[in-house]
C-alpha cells in the first residue's frame, strides 16, 4: 500500500515508518516540525535503506495538503499529527482544539475529495476518562475526558464515526494508545520533545543524562500500590507494529474498527523509575509534587481484541522499554 503518514517525523511516526517499510509498504510524510525533527527521517532512511518523500506541511494547510494529494495516489492515511501533552492541553485548550480538530477536519475533507477514504487514527486511552472498568476493553464506555487533549481525541472519534455512518466507503481504524515509551533498539531514533518533556520517560532519561537535576513525580496519594499513578506502558516498536497490523482491518473493509494498543500490564511511576535504575545502573533522583490537573489514578488495557482480530500482541516488557530509552538518550544526549 502507498500510505500518507501525517506527523511522520515525530516519535511514534518515525518508528512506524520503519515498520511500514519493513513490511513492504510505500510511505510519504507530512509534518510541520513543531514538535519533531527532520533528522529523524534521515535516520529512518538509514535504517530502512529507503528515502522517504517528505513535505513540510501543516494539517491545517488545505492548499499544502492538496498539493501532496495531487502528487501521489494514496491507498490510506495514518494520522499521527496533533498536539499530545495532557498538562499543556489544560493550560492551552484553544490551541489544542484548533490544531487537533480543525487540522483533522481539513485533512479528512481533502482526503475524501481525492478519493482516499481509508484512515488509521492515533486515538488515546484518555477517551475512557476515569475508566468504568479495569482492565479497559474496547467495550468500556467512553468517559468524561479529564483534559482537553483527551476531549480532542474523543470528539474526533465521534466525528469519524458519523462520517463513516453517512458514507460507507470510509474505512476507519481508531487505535487507542496507552503510554508509548522506549526507542528503536538501534538507538538511532527515539523520543526527543522540544523544551521541557511532558511525558515520564523522556524526563527520566534527561535526568539520567544530566540535562535535568531531578524528576518531579506528580502525586503520591493515589489509591495504588505505592501512591503514584499506574499506567500501561508500551514499547514504541510494538505500537508501531500495531499500525502495520491495523492495515489488515483496512484491507478487509472494516467500516469502523476500534482497538486498544497496550500490554495489559499496569506499572506505577515509581515502578518505572526503579526498573530504569536496575536495568541501566543509574540513580534517578526525584521529588514528590502536587497532583497534576487532568491525571487519573489507574489506567491499563485489555488488548486481547487486537490479538484476536489483527494477530498483534506486544512483545516487549518494561525492562526492554527502559533499556532502549536509555540507549537512545545516552547516544543522542542532544536529541537529533
Amino acid at each position: 500500500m502507498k500510505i500518507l503518514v501525517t506527523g511522520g517525523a515525530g516519535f511514534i511516526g518515525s518508528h512506524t515508518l520503519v515498520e511500514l517499510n519493513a513490511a513492504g509498504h510505500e510511505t510519504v510524510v507530512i509534518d510541520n516540525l513543531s514538535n519533531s525533527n527532520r533528522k529523524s527521517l534521515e535516520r529512518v532512511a538509514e535504517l530502512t535503506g529507503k528515502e522517504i518523500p517528505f513535505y513540510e506541511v501543516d494539517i491545517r494547510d488545505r492548499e499544502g495538503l492538496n498539493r501532496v494529494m495531487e502528487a501521489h495516489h494514496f491507498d490510506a492515511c495514518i494520522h499521527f499529527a496533533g498536539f499530545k501533552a495532557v498538562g499543556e492541553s489544560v493550560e492551552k485548550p484553544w490551541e489544542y482544539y484548533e490544531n487537533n480538530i480543525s487540522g483533522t477536519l481539513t485533512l479528512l475533507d481533502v482526503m475524501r475529495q481525492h478519493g482516499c477514504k481509508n484512515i488509521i487514527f492515533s486515538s488515546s486511552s484518555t477517551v475512557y476518562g476515569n475508566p468504568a472498568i479495569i482492565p479497559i476493553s474496547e467495550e468500556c464506555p467512553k468517559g468524561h475526558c479529564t483534559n482537553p487533549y483527551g476531549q480532542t481525541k474523543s470528539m474526533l472519534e465521534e466525528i469519524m464515526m458519523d462520517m463513516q455512518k453517512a458514507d460507507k466507503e470510509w474505512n476507519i481504524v481508531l487505535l487507542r494508545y496507552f503510554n508509548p515509551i522506549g526507542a528503536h533498539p538501534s538507538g538511532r531514533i527515539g523520543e526527543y520533545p522540544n523544551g521541557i518533556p511532558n511525558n515520564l520517560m523522556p524526563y527520566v532519561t534527561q535526568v539520567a543524562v544530566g540535562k535535568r537535576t531531578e524528576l518531579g513525580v506528580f502525586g503520591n496519594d493515589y489509591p495504588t500500590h505505592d501512591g503514584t499513578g499506574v499506567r500501561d506502558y508500551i514499547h514504541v516498536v510494538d505500537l508501531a507494529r500495531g499500525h502495520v497490523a491495523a492495515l489488515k482491518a483496512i484491507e478487509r473493509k472494516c467500516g469502523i474498527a476500534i482497538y486498544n494498543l497496550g500490554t495489559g500490564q499496569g506499572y506505577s511511576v515509581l515502578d518505572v523509575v526503579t526498573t530504569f535504575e536496575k536495568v541501566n545502573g543509574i540513580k534517578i533522583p526525584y521529588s514528590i509534587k502536587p497532583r497534576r490537573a487532568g491525571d487519573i489514578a489507574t489506567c491499563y488495557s485489555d488488548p486481547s481484541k487486537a490479538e484476536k482480530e489483527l494477530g498483534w500482541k506486544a512483545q516487549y516488557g518494561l525492562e526492554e522499554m527502559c533499556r532502549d530509552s536509555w540507549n537512545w538518550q545516552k547516544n543522542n544526549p542532544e536529541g537529533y
Side-chain angles (χ1 to χ4, degrees):
M1 286 179 139
K2 186 166 186 178
I3 299 162
L4 174 65
V5 182
T6 74
F11 173 44
I12 303 170
S14 58
H15 288 80
T16 302
L17 288 172
V18 172
E19 300 303 323
L20 286 167
N21 281 280
H25 298 290
E26 190 180 344
T27 52
V28 174
V29 170
I30 64 168
D31 199 304
N32 69 359
L33 304 179
S34 68
N35 193 32
S36 58
N37 193 305
R38 188 168 181 168
K39 285 188 181 154
S40 68
L41 298 175
E42 294 169 16
R43 303 274 184 93
V44 169
E46 173 194 307
L47 290 168
T48 61
K50 297 177 187 172
E51 285 301 317
I52 311 293
F54 169 67
Y55 297 84
E56 190 173 340
V57 170
D58 190 294
I59 53 169
R60 294 165 292 185
D61 175 5
R62 185 178 290 272
E63 284 182 20
L65 291 176
N66 271 314
R67 280 198 306 275
V68 177
M69 288 284 189
E70 281 156 13
H72 302 272
H73 173 75
F74 294 108
D75 299 303
C77 171
I78 299 181
H79 178 30
F80 294 110
F83 295 157
K84 62 173 188 175
V86 167
E88 184 183 62
S89 77
V90 176
E91 294 162 17
K92 298 180 175 178
W94 186 88
E95 286 80 358
Y96 270 68
Y97 289 118
E98 195 270 339
N99 182 77
N100 292 7
I101 293 181
S102 297
T104 302
L105 286 172
T106 304
L107 173 69
L108 290 166
D109 192 31
V110 172
M111 282 177 63
R112 67 180 179 175
Q113 287 174 11
H114 287 84
C116 179
K117 294 184 179 179
N118 297 316
I119 188 166
I120 295 172
F121 175 59
S122 268
S123 191
S124 166
S125 60
T126 55
V127 303
Y128 295 112
N130 207 336
I133 49 171
I134 300 280
I136 303 165
S137 74
E138 294 83 355
E139 302 305 310
C140 179
K142 284 168 68 169
H144 170 69
C145 293
T146 53
N147 54 77
Y149 161 73
Q151 290 275 39
T152 67
K153 295 297 188 184
S154 185
M155 290 177 188
L156 287 167
E157 284 195 0
E158 298 300 324
I159 288 166
M160 290 189 207
M161 288 187 209
D162 286 343
M163 286 179 63
Q164 201 280 331
K165 202 183 291 179
D167 179 356
K168 299 300 184 192
E169 289 183 3
W170 279 99
N171 296 293
I172 297 170
V173 182
L174 307 174
L175 295 181
R176 294 175 178 167
Y177 306 168
F178 281 70
N179 294 67
I181 59 174
H184 195 271
S186 67
R188 297 299 288 155
I189 56 173
E191 184 170 17
Y192 197 82
N194 294 339
I196 298 170
N198 286 296
N199 296 327
L200 174 62
M201 186 56 83
Y203 214 110
V204 168
T205 60
Q206 287 190 17
V207 170
V209 84
K211 284 182 76 76
R212 313 260 166 216
T213 55
E214 66 171 17
L215 171 71
V217 176
F218 297 104
N220 67 342
D221 58 349
Y222 286 105
T224 61
H225 66 272
D226 61 17
T228 63
V230 168
R231 297 291 181 271
D232 185 339
Y233 294 96
I234 175 172
H235 198 296
V236 66
V237 172
D238 278 330
L239 186 67
R241 289 172 180 162
H243 292 75
V244 179
L247 289 168
K248 293 176 188 168
I250 297 285
E251 284 169 349
R252 69 164 188 259
K253 304 259 188 278
C254 61
I256 286 277
I258 301 171
Y259 299 102
N260 288 335
L261 293 184
T263 64
Q265 174 76 49
Y267 295 103
S268 74
V269 174
L270 294 183
D271 289 336
V272 173
V273 171
T274 55
T275 303
F276 187 92
E277 290 178 335
K278 182 182 88 174
V279 169
N280 298 310
I282 297 167
K283 198 79 187 142
I284 302 295
Y286 67 86
S287 63
I288 304 299
K289 309 280 189 194
R291 288 187 184 193
R292 193 168 53 177
D295 277 349
I296 60 174
T298 301
C299 179
Y300 63 93
S301 70
D302 171 358
S304 57
K305 183 182 176 190
E307 183 177 9
K308 185 173 153 204
E309 295 188 10
L310 303 175
W312 173 89
K313 186 178 182 182
Q315 301 300 311
Y316 298 107
L318 186 60
E319 291 195 356
E320 289 101 331
M321 299 179 214
C322 290
R323 180 200 65 209
D324 291 342
S325 294
W326 176 233
N327 185 43
W328 151 256
Q329 184 76 77
K330 74 183 179 187
N331 288 308
N332 303 271
E334 299 303 322
Y336 291 106

